[in-house]
Amino acid sequence: MPDLRLPLDRARMDRVRAALEGAGYTVGGVRALLGPVAGGALARDEIVPGLRAIAGGSPLEVLTRLFWLQVPVDAAPLEAASEAPGFVDDLVAAGLVERSGGEVRARLHVEPLESVVPEPPGAADGGGHAGYVVSDLKVRPGSGDVVAPDHVVGAGGASGNLARLVVHRAVDNALDLGTGCGVQAVHLARRGGARTVTATDVNPRALDLAAMSFALSGVEGAELLEGSFLEPVRDRRFDLIVSNPPFVVAPSGDRRFTYRESGMPGDDFCRRLVAEARGLLDDGGYCQLLANWLHVDGVPWDERVGAWAEESGCDAWVVQRDVQDPAEYAELWLRDSCEAGTPEYRTRYGAWLDHFERHGVTGVGFGWITLRRGGAERPAIRVEEIRHAVEQPVGAYAAAVLDGLAAAREFSTACGELGMKGAGAEPDAGALGAAMLRTAAGVVQEQIGPPGAEDPERIVLRQTERLRRAAGVGTIEAALAGVCDGTLPLAPLLDAIAQLTGTDPAQARAHAAAVLPELVADGFFELP
């Protein structure tokens, strides 16, 4: 690991940033330069197609070879990448590269970040560019290099998923817990999502690299605190907490890599963060994190993680996006640390499987958790699995999902399904009839059945936006979806539908009371 050059010379970092942006060293620029084949190979940590695709001497090609492919370049074309003289000297003085004769080699990985929030036409940076992050050089399979215990990773698929999840709302203060190289903090600061940003990490090297990321991205005033878990901010409150935590479930006591393993048993880090986040949130504040959770034999995973949400005391939306069996999980993280093919591979693989067998682990789930500190006596909680593609960025509507869960709870109470009437009570048709709903934007109806049949075998409501759910419904719900605009109570609408379908009005209301709360929770209907 190279020694870092701190404190930073901000004027020098400003000159470096200007040169990188002037050369078009952005995600969009590199993507266009590489093309789909070389870009796809690089995503798999294969650089040969990239070397073939960018053999020229343009500033963008030279910078991409140096910082993204991590191969030495000649000093002369690198110097020419900036209109201002002394570019190579600035890079060397900042500790980003080292020079030997006429050759320059990267000491750290400098990569551009792509904005996850759509920007208006004519944005100052052209739109789509969020800044830069500085991390340790990538350790690629077959390189012979090893991952150091304090290795700091750059931006990746997980950090991109979290950035797209974060709610789109301006806040006074945000906390990036376990910031690593500062990806989330840069996103928050650059898109104007937070007036002040605090970033913490247990790894002091990560904080040093995050400081470099902030400087290269033009982020001013971010606070950096060293410490484990929530300790550096126990007495603080935030409007927003984001975390891509060390969630990897490793064999007991294993903490070989600080960027991915906490040293806590099982999935306790994520459980404790969910349980304790409320104490660090202002009223109405959000905590959003990525997480792994164990699937334990004999215990439904949604009940296990649902208990975390219940303990949090917050409105909660938990989504499982993927599940891996124990062998897949061990293989994933052994590849991540480039240990495949090493003498220790089988031993470490076996230790992982032994650990899972001892604890009855049948799989490991991966997903996201969004918490919101509200004032309701009974928080709205939903734990679900969504494997299909959803509209991105999720942060554009994550708050609306929680609003929908709260609305469904309110609507269900009005229907007599919750509250004083107790479980199993008959729906209160009067309360239901006074309620009003509107069909959510982007909902379409599909009818399935033999061609020419008078009645469909199945009716499906489908969302073309946001979570893109589909729900099989009956004729009453389908008819309501066609007429609910939030201006009329349900009573006359249901009476009219009952008359048209030959249904007893009382039965129509009872049916609606039974099925509509779930459709509200799913986002097919909204309270006006």
Side-chain angles (χ1 to χ4, degrees):
M1 293 288 184
D3 294 330
L4 302 179
R5 308 290 177 84
L6 298 174
L8 298 170
D9 182 330
R10 295 300 295 246
R12 175 178 291 120
M13 300 302 274
D14 288 345
R15 291 195 298 269
V16 171
R17 179 176 72 255
L20 296 177
E21 292 177 345
Y25 187 60
T26 65
V27 172
V30 173
R31 184 182 291 134
L33 177 67
L34 289 172
V37 174
L42 192 57
R44 302 187 299 273
D45 284 327
E46 296 289 349
I47 68 170
V48 173
L51 291 171
R52 294 166 61 90
I54 53 173
S58 72
L60 179 56
E61 288 174 298
V62 173
L63 288 169
T64 303
R65 286 202 301 274
L66 175 67
F67 285 125
W68 214 315
L69 302 185
Q70 298 176 184
V71 297
V73 300
D74 291 337
L78 179 61
E79 181 68 30
S82 173
E83 296 181 359
F87 180 47
V88 173
D89 289 339
D90 280 340
L91 292 174
V92 172
L96 299 173
V97 304
E98 57 187 4
R99 178 167 47 189
S100 177
E103 186 178 78
V104 178
R105 183 184 302 270
R107 299 175 78 240
L108 294 167
H109 182 52
V110 180
E111 61 184 309
L113 274 183
E114 188 171 33
S115 176
V116 296
V117 178
E119 299 183 31
D125 59 13
H129 179 58
Y132 297 94
V133 289
V134 181
S135 59
D136 282 317
L137 295 175
K138 286 179 174 287
V139 177
R140 294 191 168 110
S143 66
D145 297 327
V146 296
V147 179
D150 63 348
H151 181 82
V152 180
V153 298
S159 61
N161 287 338
L162 178 58
R164 288 186 290 271
L165 174 67
V166 174
V167 291
H168 293 184
R169 64 193 294 257
V171 298
D172 283 337
N173 55 358
L175 169 65
D176 180 10
L177 180 72
T179 190
C181 68
V183 174
Q184 305 306 322
V186 170
H187 276 302
L188 286 170
R190 287 276 295 187
R191 75 188 191 196
R195 185 173 59 83
T196 62
V197 176
T198 298
T200 70
D201 207 287
V202 70
N203 181 2
R205 181 179 181 78
L207 295 175
D208 289 344
L209 291 177
M212 298 180 77
S213 299
F214 299 161
L216 268 188
S217 299
V219 174
E220 300 283 353
E223 179 185 31
L224 292 162
L225 299 176
E226 181 182 345
S228 178
F229 194 52
L230 300 175
E231 297 312 315
V233 290
R234 281 287 183 189
D235 58 345
R236 305 271 293 275
R237 296 292 182 271
F238 298 91
D239 298 317
L240 174 64
I241 300 172
V242 299
S243 184
N244 181 10
F247 54 65
V248 175
V249 181
S252 296
D254 201 343
R255 192 182 182 182
R256 294 191 299 133
F257 306 109
T258 57
Y259 72 88
R260 74 182 198 187
E261 295 154 355
S262 70
M264 295 185 188
D267 48 20
D268 266 13
F269 190 99
C270 295
R271 179 191 63 78
R272 287 185 56 193
L273 179 53
V274 170
E276 299 181 35
R278 188 177 192 276
L280 276 72
L281 291 174
D282 285 322
D283 290 341
Y286 287 79
C287 175
Q288 298 184 278
L289 64 143
L290 303 183
N292 275 182
W293 43 75
L294 297 176
H295 287 222
V296 180
D297 190 25
V299 182
W301 77 269
D302 52 345
E303 290 185 10
R304 251 188 112 249
V305 184
W308 302 0
E310 292 280 356
E311 188 179 0
S312 76
C314 295
D315 293 333
W317 181 35
V318 181
V319 177
Q320 180 167 272
R321 294 291 280 163
D322 192 19
V323 182
Q324 291 184 313
D325 67 40
E328 290 175 312
Y329 192 78
E331 292 163 13
L332 168 67
W333 295 110
L334 288 169
R335 286 195 304 271
D336 173 77
S337 51
C338 291
E339 293 178 273
T342 66
E344 298 82 12
Y345 180 75
R346 288 189 178 183
T347 300
R348 296 199 186 282
Y349 197 153
W352 229 309
L353 296 184
D354 288 343
H355 175 75
F356 285 149
E357 287 177 7
R358 284 195 304 271
H359 292 86
V361 175
T362 60
V364 183
F366 171 83
W368 69 62
I369 298 175
T370 293
L371 307 172
R372 180 172 64 189
R373 178 169 178 164
E377 184 177 344
R378 295 190 59 180
I381 295 174
R382 180 158 195 164
V383 181
E384 62 181 329
E385 183 169 51
I386 301 177
R387 296 290 193 101
H388 60 265
V390 300
E391 184 180 7
Q392 295 290 352
V394 179
Y397 55 88
V401 172
L402 285 177
D403 289 342
L405 296 178
R409 178 190 57 207
E410 176 185 339
F411 183 73
S412 185
T413 301
C415 292
E417 295 293 308
L418 296 174
M420 292 185 296
K421 287 185 176 289
E426 290 297 321
D428 184 340
L432 170 67
M436 290 190 292
L437 294 177
R438 65 169 173 244
T439 305
V443 172
V444 298
Q445 178 179 308
E446 299 174 358
Q447 297 188 171
I448 302 170
E454 183 175 348
D455 296 315
E457 291 182 356
R458 188 172 180 229
I459 304 174
V460 175
L461 295 181
R462 188 178 300 278
Q463 298 167 348
T464 60
E465 302 172 355
R466 297 188 173 182
L467 293 176
R468 296 171 179 160
R469 302 184 194 272
V473 297
T475 55
I476 293 175
E477 308 94 281
L480 281 173
V483 297
C484 281
D485 61 2
T487 63
L488 290 174
L490 286 174
L493 296 177
L494 287 169
D495 287 347
I497 291 169
Q499 184 177 6
L500 287 172
T501 59
T503 306
D504 178 77
Q507 291 181 346
R509 294 189 185 194
H511 176 77
V515 301
L516 285 178
E518 187 68 15
L519 291 173
V520 173
D522 282 346
F524 290 96
F525 293 95
E526 302 169 340
L527 271 64

